[in-house]
């Protein structure tokens, strides 16, 4: 594929805006919904009855979004083409009693979410974002996108051997950020966040709030061929899948394209908004029933369904080449990677590989292969969960990046567009 610089940069510019507007999973699904609304999709509530008319719809639940487009003439047994991703990223999350302090410093009590690279969160300007739950049961998004918190590293003068012996961080004692001076007072943080959200602190009864890096995404390098950004794992895939779905709305399609962006992938997906939960299965089943189908139609639809699970993967690291498989070196701007693991940490098999390969070749998108070094443990994705839970063919893909699970990650600037192009080909073919 000859990558047109205008199309590539337009897509990547929009990805950067998407990431900047999505500091938490709750903001990410709101950003995705906003783009889908512009493409003619409409939100439906899980508590309402659904109709089977043609058109685009989406469901929001917490930090998850399921969106689908029903083309004209779709039958109850029409198969789905699913693009799976996740909205969450490893970070620091605010505890139920957040106000604490030591030695005249006011601090915020945080819990580690997922598997963050702890050192990447040190000496970095952090904001806070998430949702506040009110007494009436509603929730309000909140985002303080300015320097508010900082996890200060110990000076080298007080840890002379740090550069020789390595940095050792105690997850409880060393990761609590400071946000001011003086004596901590219960309720200070939530009152502050409530004021930022335009509600009364006394109305806030719960919160799901997390720290985020306030440095915006940026092109990097002499030729601006790289992209440095927070939360690339996995908002890059959420954005690509959203763009692909919005682009095919209105087309005459043989399949029903679906975006399934889950929360809680980074800690096992076991939640009502995670891939282990019933959300996707419920939506697919209700979509079949809304078009007049029954159990038999549902099973026929799933038998022809394919899912592409899109999540970030590892680009070969120039300083640690020995950590990678010697015959598989995915490179930045080399196109999306097909992930394979024979122990089913990834769901890709020969048939799934053939489906995604055909989608890439149809539009001239280059692709690469990824397997882990046999001496290194292999990560996993929502792919195996989706395949096992719903009994559907699933293939794991993604964009190769460096510094995965860092507060700031690095990819090629062309790869987001290449992934979106491949996903669009997959759902419209």
């Amino acid at each position: 594929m000859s990558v047109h610089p205008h199309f590539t940069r337009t897509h990547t510019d929009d990805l950067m805006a998407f990431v900047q507007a999505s500091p938490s999973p709750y903001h990410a699904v709101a950003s995705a919904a906003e783009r889908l609304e512009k493409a003619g999709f409409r939100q439906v509530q899980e508590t309402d009855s659904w109709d089977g008319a043609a058109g685009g719809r989406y469901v929001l639940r917490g930090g998850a979004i399921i969106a689908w487009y029903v083309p004209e003439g779709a039958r109850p047994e029409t198969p789905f083409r699913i693009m799976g991703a996740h909205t969450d990223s490893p970070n620091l999350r605010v505890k139920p009693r957040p106000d604490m302090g030591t030695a005249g410093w006011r601090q915020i009590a945080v819990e580690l979410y997922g598997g963050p690279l702890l050192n990447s969160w040190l000496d970095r300007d952090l904001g806070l974002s998430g949702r506040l739950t009110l007494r009436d049961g509603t929730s309000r998004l909140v985002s303080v996108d300015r320097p508010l918190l900082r996890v200060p590293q110990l000076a080298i003068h007080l840890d002379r051997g740090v550069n020789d012996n390595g940095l050792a961080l105690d997850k409880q004692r060393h990761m609590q950020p400071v946000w001011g001076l003086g004596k901590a007072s219960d309720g200070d943080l939530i009152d502050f966040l409530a004021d930022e959200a335009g509600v009364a602190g006394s109305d806030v009864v719960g919160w799901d709030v997390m720290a985020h890096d306030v440095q915006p995404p940026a092109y990097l390098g002499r030729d601006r061929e790289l992209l440095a950004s927070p939360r690339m794992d996995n908002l890059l895939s959420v954005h690509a899948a959203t763009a692909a779905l919005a682009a095919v709305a209105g087309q005459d399609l043989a399949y029903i394209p679906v975006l399934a962006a889950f929360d809680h992938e980074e800690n096992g997906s076991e939640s009502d908004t995670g891939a282990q939960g019933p959300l996707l299965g419920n939506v697919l089943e209700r979509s079949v029933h809304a078009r007049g189908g029954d159990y038999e139609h549902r099973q026929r639809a799933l038998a022809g369904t394919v899912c592409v699970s899109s999540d970030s993967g590892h680009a070969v690291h120039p300083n640690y080449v020995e950590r990678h498989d010697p015959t598989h070196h995915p490179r930045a701007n080399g196109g999306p990677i097909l992930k394979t693991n024979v122990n089913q940490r990834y769901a890709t098999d020969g048939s799934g590989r053939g489906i995604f390969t055909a989608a890439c070749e149809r539009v001239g998108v280059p692709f690469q292969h990824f397997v882990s070094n046999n001496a290194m443990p292999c990560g996993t994705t929502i792919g195996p969960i989706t395949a096992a839970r719903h009994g559907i063919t699933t293939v794991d893909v993604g964009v190769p990046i460096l510094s995965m699970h860092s507060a700031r990650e690095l990819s090629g600037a062309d790869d987001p567009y290449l992934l979106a192009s491949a996903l669009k080909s997959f759902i419209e073919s």
Side-chain angles (χ1 to χ4, degrees):
M1 180 182 188
S2 178
V3 180
H4 193 291
H6 172 73
F7 294 137
T8 300
R9 289 304 165 93
T10 297
H11 179 90
T12 304
D13 287 347
D14 190 63
L15 167 62
M16 294 163 71
F18 181 85
V19 171
Q20 189 70 0
S22 307
S24 78
Y26 314 106
H27 290 82
V29 298
S31 297
E34 180 182 5
R35 283 164 168 74
L36 292 173
E37 290 272 357
K38 292 178 180 178
F41 287 68
R42 60 181 176 88
Q43 184 177 2
V44 294
Q45 303 295 331
E46 293 182 80
T47 53
D48 293 340
S49 61
W50 296 357
D51 64 64
R57 299 166 180 78
Y58 66 90
V59 167
L60 297 180
R61 184 193 287 186
I65 180 171
I66 310 293
W68 64 103
Y69 179 78
V70 179
E72 293 285 351
R75 299 173 59 83
E77 68 274 17
T78 298
F80 301 93
R81 283 286 173 105
I82 303 170
M83 300 172 291
H86 67 89
T87 61
D88 59 319
S89 301
N91 57 21
L92 315 178
R93 303 212 170 185
V94 175
K95 290 183 175 180
R97 297 188 62 186
D99 298 293
M100 61 178 291
T102 305
W105 293 92
R106 295 170 66 196
Q107 294 176 276
I108 301 301
V110 297
E111 188 173 4
L112 305 184
Y113 177 83
L117 276 171
L118 297 182
N119 65 292
S120 72
W121 289 85
L122 302 179
D123 298 332
R124 189 176 292 274
D125 296 339
L126 304 175
L128 285 174
S129 57
R131 66 176 179 181
L132 306 176
T133 302
L134 309 182
R135 290 189 183 279
D136 62 4
T138 62
S139 62
R140 185 70 61 89
L141 293 182
V142 62
S143 177
V144 184
D145 196 33
R146 61 181 184 273
L148 183 67
L149 311 176
R150 189 179 179 91
V151 183
Q153 187 172 184
L154 186 63
I156 194 170
H157 312 79
L158 304 178
D159 190 7
R160 292 287 186 178
V162 65
N163 288 333
D164 299 315
N165 303 326
L167 178 64
L169 294 171
D170 183 286
K171 295 178 181 178
Q172 177 62 37
R173 293 185 296 120
H174 298 154
M175 296 305 297
Q176 309 305 323
V178 301
W179 77 310
L181 300 172
K183 184 179 179 180
S185 179
D186 285 344
D188 276 357
L189 177 66
I190 300 308
D191 284 343
F192 167 77
L193 292 176
D195 185 64
E196 290 284 324
V199 298
S202 58
D203 285 339
V204 178
V205 296
W207 51 88
D208 303 279
V209 175
M210 59 211 69
H212 69 270
D213 176 20
V214 300
Q215 185 179 1
Y219 290 106
L220 184 144
R222 185 196 67 178
D223 299 320
R224 291 164 51 89
E225 60 191 341
L226 300 173
L227 174 64
S229 174
R231 302 179 296 282
M232 203 171 301
D233 176 15
N234 186 32
L235 293 187
L236 189 157
S237 294
V238 175
H239 175 264
T242 301
L245 182 60
V248 302
Q251 291 187 21
D252 181 17
L253 303 171
Y255 303 95
I256 297 173
V258 179
L259 161 67
F262 300 102
D263 199 355
H264 301 132
E265 188 274 345
E266 297 292 359
N267 60 11
S269 296
E270 292 184 344
S271 71
D272 69 324
T273 54
Q276 294 267 27
L279 182 58
L280 175 60
N282 289 348
V283 169
L284 298 183
E285 184 171 8
R286 292 186 66 179
S287 174
V288 170
H289 289 173
R291 284 175 278 117
D294 55 18
Y295 175 82
E296 181 72 12
H297 292 102
R298 173 183 175 272
Q299 295 305 104
R300 291 171 61 189
L302 291 183
T305 292
V306 181
C307 174
V308 167
S309 163
S310 182
D311 203 347
S312 297
H314 300 295
V316 61
H317 197 301
N319 299 336
Y320 301 90
V321 176
E322 72 281 359
R323 302 295 182 96
H324 301 267
D325 183 88
T327 60
H328 295 78
H329 283 176
R331 58 182 179 82
N333 288 337
I337 53 175
L338 268 165
K339 303 178 184 180
T340 304
N341 179 265
V342 295
N343 294 303
Q344 292 300 294
R345 300 293 284 173
Y346 303 131
T348 307
D349 62 9
S351 61
R353 186 160 54 244
I355 292 170
F356 190 73
T357 296
C360 290
E361 291 178 344
R362 190 174 295 112
V363 291
V365 169
F367 62 91
Q368 309 175 80
H369 292 281
F370 173 84
V371 294
S372 290
N373 185 309
N374 286 335
M376 306 289 293
C378 181
T380 191
T381 69
I382 65 165
I385 296 171
T386 305
R389 180 170 182 82
H390 306 290
I392 58 180
T393 299
T394 303
V395 54
D396 272 295
V397 307
V399 161
I401 68 173
L402 295 181
S403 306
M404 186 183 294
H405 285 201
S406 171
R408 196 166 180 85
E409 298 160 326
L410 185 70
S411 81
D414 295 341
D415 283 328
Y417 173 74
L418 294 174
L419 175 64
S421 298
L423 292 178
K424 179 174 178 289
S425 176
F426 163 70
I427 60 176
E428 71 183 355
S429 61

